[in-house]
């Protein structure tokens, strides 16, 4: 192990830099140091760079997703040892506070979403994970680790905050507004519950075509047709569940207008502004609206389904880069529409050089 | 039975009149005619008179609450016969449509809230109740029928839409915003679940004093102190459940600001306007927000508790009037703060003349 | 309409007879007369003939499953009219008693399972259905009515009492003990919830092969290998859900021995004897055990899935007979192992003579 | 701190001895050493002495309940420090295994019920508690610590395994079979949910009289009257919830015979033998039966209610002894009927000598 490493460091609004920084060290007996083999970029990371997440201080290494290999563990870590392959959960949890005892790891009093936010994150060669026993998941031998990067955040988020909060049931008619990575994760995982009809709504025809391949039974480009009108025409009283996966007032509004009496609106999108809730119509409609940050309680179940092949999150990966090219990866992911990008994989150079594209090959890489 | 009866008839915005109208008749084999012995006025009735409920046509008899005696039943009514004493549910339900089969009587495809809205209501000597088998509840011999008027609407509303939707649990800290009849009903019925702490918030010190007698552990006059600040100071992260029982943007806002991560906001108030939902703060908070019209599924359970003395809805009754004096009753109820009114009982003359006050005695009647 | 009809009449233990009986008549305004186009035989009918269901009086027409066409309705039937095609639910419900209001139609105070038990049933040309509004389901135009015979009883039973009571969840490992019609129904409908692994256990290799085709991931012939040992070896601590679909002490015992801590045993089989519950082992295991008669609340949802093609109950049908040949149908169904029979369809002669086999063609008919 | 301590040591079937043993030591960084100030005896301890719990090896210090003061903590214990007053949970949990992540601490893969079973317990001056962060609860300043001994095991057991598994709801009619400490705990905590009627069934009139004081609305001495007959006569179809709190086939049988359709049987008693489950009657009754070992998830909520005075577990304490007199305490608790004993408190000498009775005063001590 060398004494410095490459890492993507936030430099204040609008600034990120790939640079050499000191290696992380074990500070508490519950910490573990992980050699990051693959990471990715989240929509939230783009928000941080735009200055929208004031808790992130300049100097912080970004990233809250990834898989890797345990390099070193603190004295009281029991579940992992050097050499273990692990999924890094985007949520850190101590397992013993009031919220953790309720399974609400998102609100852990000594954790929650801190990675790449309050502490250094995963877009680096190494990362220090607090409360390692509760914040890592073992990877079974032979699993496709690239696919498992999707289990750090987006798949459990789409599933827990979209599908489970939305209480999707067999035979339901559901609508997912937004077909980015989170909407697609909700789409893939909603099918665990066999809804009868899945509407996917977006402005991007390319993404809608992908949604169709991933199991949407109906797709609506809300730029070219009136999504609300069409859904109300085609259903009896609206949808049983509307999943908001964008984070804008306009997409929230679609959801509240298409939900049927007794239905549910599950908000998954990261909202920067308040929305206008039409209580004058909804008070009488027996609606349930939920919000939430993922707790990743379902990661073991999702992992089992990825391993068995029932769930194929790899389908979400459109581009691959070396860590040296991470700024280029940010460009591609930041211009997802034009680049036809969904999720991008960032690999550590030493691990798997040959399979990874360089910038020149960008065009062929696009799905 | 005579051929006309007294009834309070809506005459368009701002107008109500007590007048002689034809007696109701059985139109369908599932109908029943009820002689109304006691009825009451709901906040919604005041809203109708202000023109806020456009579905109510001039000429409609108002009122959706009351108890009475069965006068006549249609050919297929099985559960009731002439002479039976009954509670009239504010919700009419056919028991066989898609919504009824889910127990969502509020959304019955041939019913829901239609009484004193789409069809003639209970503020009259007689009323015709559709789908009588599903829309009436038998009164056990010896029960205090006056108290049971509270079971037509406000008690099940406070309980189902406030307490059950809010999922109040033993040990919870809850807040009820609004101490009118609905808020008080939520207060009384929340105690079925033994919350540890109940905050009651209102602008009226008289009502707050009553709330304290009814079981609130803390009362806050939000006109004279900052309710949000105080609750956030006195609790760890806010309340487990906030029940909105007013129907205004300002009271909704209190609720969304005092609810803790993982908590619930149960909207019971009738909202005339949209509200500003602070999704930019709440998206990360794992909040559940519910709305709803009562289905009255819990009326039998509440009835059992009134009969056993565990629940004393009679405490909500502050004034009593004869049907001849119903306009006066509207005046008193419409100026509830000054009159210290909560729920007013309107009695049919023939039934119980002696116990009922006349207008001259109004002052002494106030609790 | 003629004045008599053919019907299969129970004649006391061991005796059934196909004979001419009077046509049923409307007795209450909530009744409907249905011309039965297709019916089937249930394992429970075999039990009745063996004298195991003492509530069935000699002279009763058997059968509680079927589809047909409405011939006549009583004066207060609102949801159906002459000519409507309907599924007959095995459960009759009035929609207004205490149990119906809780959705527990199985325990309706004026219904429940009475068809072919306390009142005449469906193995006849016509049947009178009480509380028609709640006890029939409309068949959408163009649906395959033969497949829908499976919705009268076995599919909702397998789903409600096996899958829903068992609380099957995505990723679960489940075991179904018994691969007769009910076990197969549980197998088909459990897949709505995407369990990771489904063990099917039976003594009949032919049925196990069918189970494999229907989605079982593992099959065990408990006659030739130790089912308990194998499951405990292949799982961590046992299965999440064990569904008992036979009705014998030995099959119940398998279930209680393979269920993991926190797991569920859903009893669907009709049990004629008590069983030995190993509380000395299970008291510490946080097990939930459920029993139940179907309420058919899920029939509309299942119907939607049959129409959309997601659920194919037709796969369960192995033989077809005319009503004239119903005694032969009983013989075949009663010797299901040898005949490789699962569900047999009995058709009314007038409806669809050509598609139906006669006895001579029995051999070719077997799937 | 001296080098040896007094402890009650199991010596094989029929044998216990109070003797000097070495002090416990921290072995893992997650351990804590607690100075036990008050402990108690559980019915399970009597079972151990009778040789009924084969996992307990001779040489083991008994006891899994108690309160105390933290003497020393391992290097990774974060939630507690020397001097903290704590409740010792009867369940040890690591907070990070598959079962703990589901909140099923009873089945923790590195814990569960091990105290006074697989490892040394609390009937001693000191005890070593593994996974201290998850297995201890802080005692608020000023709380009555004696009452809190009831929170180690019996109150959460009665509540979680009886009341919550039984799903007691407002308005329910429930029956508790057995009025020992566990039955009484179920009785006290069931009242959080306001059941309408609580039957308490036992053979001991003294205990039944106490149950009446604690909130039972009806008591039945099943030795002198037919409990099943009386309950079926007085209720419509039986009770909503039957809680089995003895652990014998006969008491289980009462439960299965008095539960109504759709009702629940919650088994809390420790069963040494299998029972005869009447599936031939129950298969049609939509019954749910549960078993379970406590996970103590509810201890914080119960603690809050003890501190606020809403729950008074001190009422269960009938006798007090010094640790030196623990053999006498076993005699008294072992002959509970004659001694009118419910729960006995064992105090460490140094803490509170004056308040504690000596053997001579036994007679006056009995409630």
């Amino acid at each position: 192990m060398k004494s410095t490493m490459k890492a993507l460091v936030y430099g204040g609004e609008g600034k990120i830099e790939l640079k050499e920084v000191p290696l992380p060290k074990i500070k508490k007996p519950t910490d573990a140091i992980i050699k990051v083999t693959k990471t990715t970029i989240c929509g939230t990371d783009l928000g941080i760079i735009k200055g929208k997440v004031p808790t992130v201080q300049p100097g912080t290494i970004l990233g809250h997703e990834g898989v890797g290999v345990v390099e070193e563990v603190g004295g009281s870590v029991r579940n992992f040892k050097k050499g273990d392959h692990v999924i890094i959960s985007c949520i850190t949890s101590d397992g013993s506070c009031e919220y953790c005892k309720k399974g609400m790891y998102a609100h852990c009093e000594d954790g929650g979403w801190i990675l790449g936010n309050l502490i250094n994150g995963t877009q680096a060669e190494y990362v220090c994970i607090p409360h390692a026993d509760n914040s890592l998941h073992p990877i079974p031998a032979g699993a496709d680790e690239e696919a498992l990067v999707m289990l750090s955040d987006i798949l459990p988020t789409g599933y827990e905050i979209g599908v489970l909060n939305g209480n999707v049931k067999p035979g339901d008619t559901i609508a997912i507004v937004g077909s980015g990575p989170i909407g697609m994760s909700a789409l893939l995982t909603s099918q665990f519950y066999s809804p009868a009809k899945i509407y996917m709504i977006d402005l991007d025809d390319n993404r809608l075509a992908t949604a169709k391949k991933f199991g949407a039974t109906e797709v609506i480009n809300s730029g070219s047709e009136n999504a609300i009108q069409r859904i109300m025409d085609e259903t009896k009283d609206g949808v049983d569940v509307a999943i908001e996966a964008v984070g804008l007032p306009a997409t929230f509004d679609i959801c509240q207008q298409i939900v049927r009496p007794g239905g549910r609106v599950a908000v998954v999108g990261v909202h920067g502004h308040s929305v206008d809730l039409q209580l004058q119509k909804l008070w009488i409609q027996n609606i349930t609206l939920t919000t939430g940050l993922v707790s990743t309680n379902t990661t073991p179940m999702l992992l089992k389904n990825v391993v068995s092949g029932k769930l194929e999150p790899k389908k979400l990966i459109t581009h691959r880069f070396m860590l040296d090219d991470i700024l280029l990866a940010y460009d591609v992911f930041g211009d997802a529409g034009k680049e036809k990008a969904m999720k991008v994989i960032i690999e550590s150079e030493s691990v798997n050089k040959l399979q990874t594209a360089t910038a020149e090959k960008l065009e062929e890489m696009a799905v």
Side-chain angles (χ1 to χ4, degrees), chain A:
Chain A
M1 218 171 148
K2 36 185 202 159
S3 67
T4 65
M5 65 172 185
K6 276 180 245 167
L8 187 87
V9 179
Y10 176 59
E13 191 175 334
K15 283 179 254 167
I16 47 174
E17 188 182 356
L18 181 66
K19 62 179 182 185
E20 286 290 318
V21 299
L23 285 169
K25 291 206 174 80
I26 297 279
K27 282 173 233 142
K28 295 188 178 174
T30 45
D31 287 351
I33 303 295
I34 311 300
K35 180 170 172 58
V36 180
T37 52
K38 293 173 203 287
T39 182
T40 183
I41 306 172
C42 182
T44 310
D45 295 325
L46 301 181
I48 292 170
I49 297 172
K50 289 180 188 148
K52 286 185 172 174
V53 187
T55 49
V56 184
Q57 296 300 309
T60 305
I61 300 172
L62 296 187
H64 52 267
E65 300 168 272
V67 297
V69 182
V70 176
E71 182 72 29
E72 187 187 353
V73 297
S76 66
V77 172
R78 295 168 302 107
N79 299 342
F80 300 97
K81 62 179 191 309
K82 184 171 162 68
D84 285 353
H85 285 235
V86 293
I87 301 168
I88 300 165
S89 173
C90 65
I91 297 295
T92 300
S93 55
D94 66 17
S96 69
C97 71
E98 177 187 345
Y99 285 103
C100 282
K101 287 196 169 180
K102 292 178 181 167
M104 294 174 61
Y105 303 138
H107 300 282
C108 173
E109 296 177 354
D110 191 36
W113 172 44
I114 59 175
L115 214 54
N117 175 6
L118 305 180
I119 65 171
N120 284 329
T122 57
Q123 291 168 4
E125 291 180 80
Y126 295 90
V127 63
C128 176
I129 299 297
H131 299 301
D133 276 339
N134 288 291
S135 311
L136 299 171
H137 296 275
I139 297 180
D144 176 356
E145 302 203 355
E146 187 181 74
L148 298 182
V149 176
M150 305 298 113
L151 292 191
S152 288
D153 177 350
I154 62 159
L155 270 180
T157 294
Y159 187 52
E160 295 176 17
I161 309 305
V163 176
L164 295 184
N165 277 2
N167 194 19
V168 175
K169 290 183 305 299
D172 275 0
T173 295
I174 74 169
I176 300 169
V177 184
S179 60
I182 286 296
M184 291 297 194
S185 295
L187 172 60
L188 291 174
T189 56
S190 69
Q191 295 171 65
F192 282 136
Y193 288 95
S194 309
K197 214 172 185 177
I198 308 175
Y199 285 95
M200 196 84 188
I201 301 166
D202 202 283
L203 295 166
D204 181 332
D205 281 328
N206 174 53
R207 288 189 160 188
L208 289 172
T210 304
K212 200 106 199 212
K213 281 187 222 146
F214 288 5
T217 60
E218 320 286 329
V219 298
I220 303 179
N221 185 321
S222 54
S224 57
E225 65 177 315
N226 184 327
I228 297 167
Q229 191 60 52
R230 177 166 155 204
I231 287 175
M232 296 313 288
D233 286 350
E234 292 181 4
T235 59
K236 190 177 171 188
D237 301 311
V239 300
D240 296 292
V241 184
I243 297 177
E244 202 283 332
V246 178
L248 293 172
T251 48
F252 176 81
D253 190 55
I254 293 175
C255 291
Q256 72 177 329
Q257 293 208 45
I258 61 176
V259 66
R260 73 180 302 191
R264 298 176 75 97
V265 174
V267 175
V268 196
V270 177
H271 285 257
H273 300 282
S274 66
V275 300
D276 195 49
L277 177 66
Q278 303 282 314
L279 273 189
Q280 79 279 22
K281 292 176 192 164
L282 296 176
W283 75 270
I284 210 164
Q285 291 292 71
N286 297 66
I287 298 306
T288 301
L289 186 153
T290 57
T291 70
L293 183 66
V294 68
S295 277
T296 66
N297 319 55
T298 63
T299 306
M301 186 285 271
L302 294 169
L303 174 55
K304 202 157 57 166
N305 277 283
V306 175
V307 170
S308 76
K310 286 215 172 183
L311 186 64
E312 297 178 85
K314 196 163 187 167
K315 298 196 276 195
L316 299 170
I317 300 168
T318 53
H319 296 73
R320 291 167 184 85
F321 300 89
M322 299 307 301
L323 180 56
D324 280 338
D325 297 322
I326 191 168
L327 293 175
L328 179 59
Y330 263 92
D331 287 345
V332 167
F333 186 68
D335 199 4
K338 176 165 160 283
E339 300 286 355
K340 300 188 177 175
M342 187 63 68
K343 285 295 278 187
V344 303
I345 287 287
I346 321 285
E347 294 189 57
S348 180
E349 198 160 4
S350 53
V351 177
N352 200 346
K353 190 153 189 176
L354 295 181
Q355 291 177 8
T356 305
T358 57
E360 294 86 285
K361 303 190 189 149
L362 249 183
E363 249 164 68
E364 300 109 81
M365 280 170 3
V367 169

